């Protein structure tokens, strides 16, 4: 106890034990080692690179040589990246980054090219649209002099490949929609895949640059379609339309089609499937007429139209006069007639304004087509009756299908009510009465099944 207190308060330190004879023998032994020898201080793992700028063993004065098996990454300042890396560490980035930059540049180039091409189209056709319509585009500027090279108000970009415009304010025409679809230059991978698959599969149409315009005719409904804001405007509208000739014409489906587009047009459009295809002696060999009656063709296929189709050449795809929907109607509401005139043209590969000269006559004739319909599309009673019979037959099919759907709905509703009455009645019975009730139902079901089997036999 006394020795412990002395050690605690700094008393006399105990003497080191004297080595014994046994200790001397162990010290002389080759297998002798110190149990409490201190571990060496840790040294940084270092291996100098090949260049002379890296630190060497001389920079570590406490170590004359570097440890064996050291790693190849030296200890340097955090910003001295070039001393810790080599060019081969960036092989993946050297491949990926240029690829991304090329795609980004192609995307920007593709969008600008499409925008420039659409701008050339509207700049070429805007004077003709201004001549035929009172209002063009989506803003309040009037006249081509207000744009001064900026056609952003005339043309709206829906997507990087789709551009649309609009015009209204013309006799016999409610409005016209114009859509321009260009190639996906901004996405070259998708464009290449579309071209390859269209070459391999006939069901996939190759990508093309087209302009599709649709005229919606008034058809004698000016009072219903022209908007008014007050009673005074309504009275003025009535007096203005009172002296004008009727803008109505007989309903029909008629088309002039490039033969390359004929099969695809029949598959894509329900209205054209109602017609019969015939060649016409005055049309080029690559064009054909699709009509519901020969009298309709004689009335609508004028000399000006034939010359315009010949001049357009391969850029012409189809001109359709229709009152039926594009998709096959499934309900009566979808079968409501809506008279329209549709023109589809392929756009030239060149963006120069002169490249549109061959298609300007057919585009001009298309804008004036409603006047031709109002003047000449009044057919004999036999022709009108035949055309009307085709539509009535389609309407009868829709009515029959609609009545079948309603009858099925009524049957399901009656079964639902009957089941509710049965469940309510079953809940009010005791367990024994429920068992008897279910047995009677099962017997009735078996008898009905036997009657059905005997009738089939």
């Amino acid at each position: 106890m006394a020795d412990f207190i002395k050690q605690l308060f700094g008393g006399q330190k105990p003497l080191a034990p004297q080595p014994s004879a046994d200790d001397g023998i162990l010290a002389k032994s080759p297998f002798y080692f110190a149990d409490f020898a201190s571990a060496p201080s840790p040294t940084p793992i270092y291996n100098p690179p090949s260049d002379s700028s890296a630190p060497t063993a001389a920079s570590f004065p406490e170590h004359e040589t570097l440890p064996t098996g050291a790693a190849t990454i030296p200890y340097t300042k955090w910003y001295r990246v070039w001393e810790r890396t080599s060019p081969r560490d960036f092989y993946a980035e050297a491949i990926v980054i240029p690829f991304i930059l090329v795609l980004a540049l192609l995307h920007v180039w593709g969008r600008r090219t499409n925008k420039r091409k659409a701008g050339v189209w509207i700049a070429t056709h805007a004077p003709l649209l201004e001549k035929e319509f009172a209002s063009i585009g989506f803003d309040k500027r009037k006249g081509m002099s207000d744009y001064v090279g900026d056609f952003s108000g005339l043309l709206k970009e829906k997507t990087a490949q789709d551009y649309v415009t609009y015009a209204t304010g013309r006799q016999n025409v409610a409005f016209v929609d114009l859509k321009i679809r260009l190639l996906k230059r901004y996405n070259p991978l998708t464009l290449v895949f579309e071209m390859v698959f269209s070459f391999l599969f006939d069901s996939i149409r190759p990508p093309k640059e087209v302009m599709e315009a649709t005229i919606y005719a008034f058809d004698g409904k000016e009072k219903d379609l022209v908007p008014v804001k007050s009673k005074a405007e309504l009275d003025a509208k009535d007096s203005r339309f009172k002296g004008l000739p009727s803008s109505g014409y007989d309903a029909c489906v008629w088309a002039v089609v490039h033969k390359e587009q004929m099969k695809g047009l029949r598959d894509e459009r329900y209205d054209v499937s109602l017609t019969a295809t015939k060649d016409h002696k005055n049309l080029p060999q690559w064009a054909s007429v699709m009509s519901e009656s020969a009298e309709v063709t004689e009335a609508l296929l004028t000399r000006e139209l034939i010359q315009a189709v010949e001049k357009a050449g391969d850029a012409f795809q189809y001109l359709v006069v229709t009152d039926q929907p594009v998709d096959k109607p499934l309900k009566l509401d979808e079968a409501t007639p809506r008279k329209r005139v549709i023109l589809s043209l392929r756009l030239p590969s060149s963006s120069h304004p002169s490249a549109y000269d061959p298609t300007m006559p057919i585009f001009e004739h298309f804008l004036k087509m409603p006047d031709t319909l109002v003047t000449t599309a009044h057919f004999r009673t036999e022709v009108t009756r035949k055309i009307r019979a085709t539509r009535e037959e389609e309407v009868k099919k829709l009515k029959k299908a609609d009545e079948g759907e309603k009858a099925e709905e009524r049957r399901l509703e009656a079964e639902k009510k009957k089941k509710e009455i049965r469940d309510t009645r079953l809940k009010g019975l005791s367990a024994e009465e429920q068992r008897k009730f279910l047995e009677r139902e099962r017997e009735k079901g078996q008898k009905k099944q036997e009657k059905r089997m005997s009738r089939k036999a």
Side-chain angles (χ1 to χ4, degrees):
M1 187 65 180
D3 294 338
F4 175 74
I5 294 174
K6 287 180 181 180
Q7 292 177 5
L8 187 62
F9 291 98
Q12 183 179 2
K13 295 181 180 180
L15 296 175
Q18 296 295 327
S20 62
D22 295 336
D23 294 339
I25 294 172
L26 288 173
K28 294 178 181 180
S29 174
F31 301 102
Y32 175 78
F33 60 92
D35 291 340
F36 301 100
S38 60
S41 60
T43 57
I45 299 174
Y46 184 79
N47 190 16
S50 59
D51 58 338
S52 60
S53 62
T56 61
S59 60
F60 297 91
E62 66 274 13
H63 302 285
E64 293 183 357
T65 59
L66 295 173
T68 58
T72 59
I73 302 176
Y75 281 89
T76 60
K77 293 289 184 180
W78 63 270
Y79 57 85
R80 299 173 72 88
V81 182
W82 60 91
E83 295 180 356
R84 302 191 300 272
T85 58
S86 62
R88 62 184 177 184
D89 296 329
F90 299 96
Y91 284 166
E93 289 81 356
I95 297 173
V96 173
I97 292 176
F99 183 73
I100 294 175
L101 290 176
V102 169
L103 288 181
L105 292 175
L106 286 175
H107 182 81
V108 174
W109 171 82
R111 289 183 68 100
R112 290 184 177 179
T113 303
N114 283 354
K115 190 172 184 178
R116 182 172 63 254
K117 192 161 189 176
V120 172
W121 186 93
I122 193 63
T124 306
H125 295 77
L128 186 57
L129 290 170
E130 184 187 23
K131 178 182 175 183
E132 296 292 335
F133 294 91
S135 177
I136 311 170
F138 301 95
D139 59 6
K140 297 181 180 180
R141 287 181 284 183
K142 302 293 183 181
M144 293 301 298
S145 59
D146 296 338
Y147 289 92
V148 194
D150 177 23
F151 300 100
S152 58
L154 286 178
L155 206 61
K156 182 180 289 186
E157 180 181 356
K158 291 187 67 177
T159 63
Q161 68 171 141
D162 295 323
Y163 292 81
V164 297
T165 188
Y166 165 89
T168 186
R170 188 187 187 280
Q171 187 178 1
N172 301 326
V173 177
F175 57 91
V176 56
D177 282 335
L178 299 106
K179 302 176 183 178
I180 301 173
R181 176 171 285 267
L182 304 172
L183 295 176
K184 295 181 180 179
R185 295 182 175 87
Y186 58 91
N187 194 342
L189 295 179
T190 304
L191 182 60
V192 170
F193 279 125
E194 288 180 353
M195 289 181 176
V196 171
F197 281 111
S198 63
F199 178 77
L200 297 176
F201 304 101
D202 294 336
S203 59
I204 300 176
R205 304 186 72 176
K208 297 178 182 178
E209 294 186 316
V210 297
M211 185 283 305
E212 184 173 300
T214 305
I215 289 178
Y216 294 85
F218 270 129
D219 192 29
K221 300 176 182 177
E222 289 87 346
K223 295 181 180 180
D224 301 330
L225 297 176
V226 176
V228 293
K229 298 180 180 179
S230 62
K231 189 176 183 304
E233 290 185 2
L234 180 61
D235 297 337
K237 183 179 72 171
D238 292 341
S239 61
R240 185 169 70 251
F241 290 135
K242 200 169 186 180
L244 294 177
S246 174
S247 59
Y249 59 90
D250 292 342
C252 63
V253 178
W254 180 83
V256 179
V257 187
H258 197 292
K259 289 184 178 179
E260 291 182 357
Q261 306 295 324
M262 191 178 301
K263 184 179 182 301
L265 199 65
R266 278 194 178 276
D267 295 339
E268 295 174 1
R269 298 186 64 99
Y270 160 77
D271 51 1
V272 175
S273 65
L274 302 176
T275 62
T277 305
K278 292 183 180 180
D279 290 337
H280 198 277
K281 60 181 180 180
N282 295 330
L283 282 173
Q285 293 183 354
W286 47 264
S288 184
V289 174
M290 306 175 77
S291 177
E292 291 184 282
S293 173
E295 185 174 333
V296 177
T297 302
E298 295 301 323
L300 300 182
L301 190 61
T302 60
R303 186 192 309 171
E304 292 79 8
L305 177 58
I306 294 172
Q307 293 175 355
V309 170
E310 289 177 350
K311 189 172 182 180
D314 291 337
F316 175 79
Q317 292 201 118
Y318 55 82
L319 173 68
V320 179
V321 178
T322 180
D323 67 317
Q324 296 297 299
V326 176
D327 299 323
K328 186 174 182 178
L330 302 176
K331 297 181 180 179
L332 286 173
D333 297 339
E334 298 175 358
T336 303
R338 194 172 186 183
K339 295 178 181 178
R340 308 177 308 281
V341 183
I342 302 147
L343 174 68
S344 179
L345 298 172
R346 292 187 63 176
L347 300 182
S349 57
S350 175
S351 297
H352 196 273
S354 60
Y356 295 98
D357 290 344
T359 58
M360 291 299 289
I362 187 66
F363 186 74
E364 184 176 4
H365 185 86
F366 160 75
L367 296 179
K368 297 178 179 179
M369 193 74 178
D371 301 337
T372 304
L373 292 170
V374 171
T375 305
T376 61
H378 300 283
F379 313 116
R380 291 182 299 113
T381 307
E382 294 80 2
V383 176
T384 307
R385 188 185 299 115
K386 179 184 176 182
I387 294 173
R388 192 184 301 117
T390 304
R391 284 145 181 75
E392 289 176 354
E393 185 67 25
E394 296 296 324
V395 171
K396 285 180 181 178
K397 293 179 182 178
L398 293 175
K399 284 183 177 179
K400 186 176 181 180
D402 189 51
E403 289 174 358
E405 291 178 0
K406 290 181 179 179
E408 183 67 17
E409 290 177 0
R410 289 193 299 268
R411 186 183 67 80
L412 294 174
E413 188 68 22
E415 288 182 356
K416 184 179 178 182
K417 290 181 179 179
K418 187 177 180 181
K419 186 175 181 301
E420 289 176 356
I421 294 171
R422 170 191 175 275
D423 294 341
T424 304
R425 182 183 175 186
L426 197 62
K427 287 179 182 178
L429 300 176
S430 62
E432 184 63 23
E433 292 174 342
Q434 287 181 2
R435 185 183 63 79
K436 293 179 179 179
F437 182 82
L438 294 175
E439 284 182 359
R440 285 196 299 270
E441 275 192 345
R442 187 164 53 253
E443 290 175 359
K444 288 181 180 179
Q446 290 177 356
K447 289 179 180 180
K448 287 182 180 179
Q449 186 68 20
E450 290 175 358
K451 287 181 180 179
R452 290 197 192 101
M453 296 296 292
S454 61
R455 286 175 184 174
K456 289 181 180 180

